[in-house]
Amino acid sequence: MPGKRSWRKLVKKYQRQRRRQRCAQERDHEQMQRELDPAYQIWMQQQAELEEFQRLAAERQQQDMEEAWLRREALAQRQFRVDLAKRRQEEAELERLREQQFQELAAREKVQRERREERQRMVQEAAAEFEAMMQRMHDFLENAEQRSPPPDLQRVAETRPEEKPCEFFTRTNSCRFGLHCTFNHKRPMLARILLIRHFFTHPLLHSDVHKEYATADADLELNERDLRNDYDEFFADVVPELEKFGRILNFRAVRNTLAHLRGHVFVEYEQERSALRAFINLQGRYYASRRLNVEFSNLKTWRGAVCGM
Ligand SMILES: [Zn+2]
């Protein structure tokens, strides 16, 4: 059995329910009343129109946003395509340059290789030519009955036959421009005079040392004597050796401090064959630990070529 308290609780609950139902009924009634009111109906209509308007506005806004997005997207796509085309063009250009560089490098290398081969070929040819010439000289020397040398030994080698003769080379058999000289250098293949380049060496023949030494007359005199003594020693040393090949008419050393003339020695033999014998024998020989550089000379006068000694 429910007690007194729980009974009251039940009653209260029932009363609350009743109250709520009543309220709802009243509200429904009020609502119905309101809906029947024309003003309310107009208001409702306006509300509906407003809502519709707002819905349309929102829709349009959404549409605008979508269109804007599409436009941006299309723009981005186009930009992307432009960029891609540009990048491809740049890459193609880069590739073209790389290819061009490669071609140029290959062409340069080819030219260098050809030049190297050409130089090598010329060196080989010169060596072969030299060998052949030495052989002809030997043959001529061996054959005592043969009066005059073979034609190719009577030849005069010219560096630039079409140009004027080089004044320096003609006078001294030396030219500081060497093979780069624009004038013609003529050398005989055979002659009575031999030129041995830089044969006599002495510190005083180096101009800078000479200047340094020549501070006082006493020193100068002393050095002159020193140079003379050394030269006499050199003369006594080499002349007997050179006389082994034949009678010598002249032995002259160039007393000049210029690098391309320094210490040059001219040896004039009485006989061409003696000079030839000396030439062949001195090839590849060393003097004062320097390899001898021997050639034939067509010097006309000593005055132009030789100063002093
Ligand atoms: Zn010259």
Side-chain angles (χ1 to χ4, degrees):
M1 284 286 283
K4 223 177 180 176
R5 278 178 84 181
S6 40
W7 174 251
R8 207 162 30 228
K9 224 172 164 186
L10 269 175
V11 169
K12 282 209 166 169
K13 192 180 171 189
Y14 175 73
Q15 283 174 341
R16 268 200 310 274
Q17 263 175 7
R18 288 275 307 160
R19 213 166 31 239
R20 269 204 298 275
Q21 276 168 5
R22 223 174 20 246
C23 270
Q25 274 168 8
E26 274 168 21
R27 262 204 314 277
D28 288 349
H29 182 71
E30 272 173 29
Q31 181 72 17
M32 267 163 57
Q33 285 299 315
R34 233 184 344 217
E35 280 173 9
L36 289 175
D37 183 358
Y40 178 77
Q41 279 174 0
I42 290 169
W43 180 81
M44 281 293 282
Q45 178 94 24
Q46 281 172 344
Q47 279 300 309
E49 281 171 5
L50 194 65
E51 265 169 36
E52 179 63 8
F53 175 77
Q54 279 170 346
R55 194 184 60 77
L56 282 172
E59 213 170 68
R60 203 154 44 238
Q61 197 183 6
Q62 179 68 21
Q63 223 168 21
D64 284 353
M65 272 163 69
E66 268 170 29
E67 275 170 16
W69 186 85
L70 282 172
R71 268 201 306 278
R72 271 203 307 276
E73 182 64 12
L75 215 63
Q77 286 280 343
R78 212 177 62 198
Q79 191 58 45
F80 175 77
R81 281 196 299 275
V82 167
D83 286 350
L84 191 69
K86 216 159 90 185
R87 209 162 53 234
R88 279 191 183 143
Q89 204 180 350
E90 281 169 1
E91 273 167 13
E93 178 66 10
L94 210 64
E95 183 57 33
R96 197 184 62 75
L97 279 174
R98 241 183 250 130
E99 177 65 17
Q100 196 183 334
Q101 267 175 354
F102 177 76
Q103 296 286 348
E104 281 170 5
L105 194 71
R108 240 192 341 265
E109 274 174 1
K110 185 166 174 280
V111 167
Q112 278 170 352
R113 194 172 54 244
E114 280 170 358
R115 230 179 260 163
R116 215 162 36 233
E117 283 167 3
E118 172 72 7
R119 263 202 304 275
Q120 215 168 354
R121 202 176 54 74
M122 276 167 70
V123 166
Q124 280 169 356
E125 269 178 18
E129 167 72 18
F130 183 75
E131 278 299 312
M133 191 193 66
M134 287 298 276
Q135 189 56 51
R136 283 196 292 275
M137 285 177 173
H138 262 289
D139 294 346
F140 174 58
L141 210 57
E142 294 295 307
N143 188 355
E145 285 162 25
Q146 193 181 341
R147 284 270 159 184
S148 56
D152 43 353
L153 290 189
Q154 291 179 35
R155 197 159 59 82
V156 173
E158 298 181 69
T159 51
R160 291 177 198 274
E162 70 283 359
E163 299 295 339
K164 277 193 226 162
C166 172
E167 209 182 297
F168 299 104
F169 193 85
T170 307
R171 207 171 66 224
T172 65
N173 277 181
S174 299
C175 170
R176 66 193 175 98
F177 300 112
L179 287 174
H180 300 291
C181 181
T182 51
F183 295 106
N184 191 17
H185 293 179
K186 291 179 168 187
R187 302 160 195 272
M189 300 299 279
L190 183 60
R192 286 190 304 108
I193 305 173
L194 281 186
L195 163 57
I196 309 173
R197 292 186 188 273
H198 312 296
F199 197 13
F200 176 59
T201 54
H202 195 281
L204 284 183
L205 291 181
H206 291 253
S207 51
D208 43 342
V209 178
H210 200 284
K211 273 191 207 118
E212 210 175 284
Y213 271 74
T215 46
D217 286 352
D219 278 352
L220 192 67
E221 203 178 301
L222 194 76
N223 289 315
E224 277 302 317
R225 217 167 39 235
D226 185 39
L227 178 65
R228 188 73 226 179
N229 286 342
D230 282 354
Y231 180 70
D232 287 345
E233 215 171 278
F234 166 76
F235 185 89
D237 191 27
V238 302
V239 167
E241 280 298 313
L242 293 169
E243 274 178 331
K244 287 178 184 169
F245 308 116
R247 207 169 107 78
I248 293 172
L249 295 184
N250 274 297
F251 182 94
R252 310 260 173 144
V254 178
R255 200 210 147 146
N256 198 312
T257 54
L258 291 176
H260 67 286
L261 297 173
R262 198 178 293 152
H264 285 4
V265 171
F266 291 93
V267 188
E268 185 185 3
Y269 283 95
E270 193 182 44
Q271 304 283 328
E272 205 170 56
R273 275 175 187 270
S274 305
L276 180 57
R277 196 172 294 119
F279 177 82
I280 289 171
N281 279 280
L282 294 176
Q283 282 305 322
R285 288 259 292 267
Y286 283 78
Y287 181 79
S289 61
R290 268 145 45 112
R291 200 188 161 96
L292 292 180
N293 184 343
V294 191
E295 57 201 85
F296 289 104
S297 162
N298 56 359
L299 218 62
K300 297 283 186 293
T301 63
W302 299 115
R303 280 169 57 87
V306 185
C307 330
M309 295 202 290

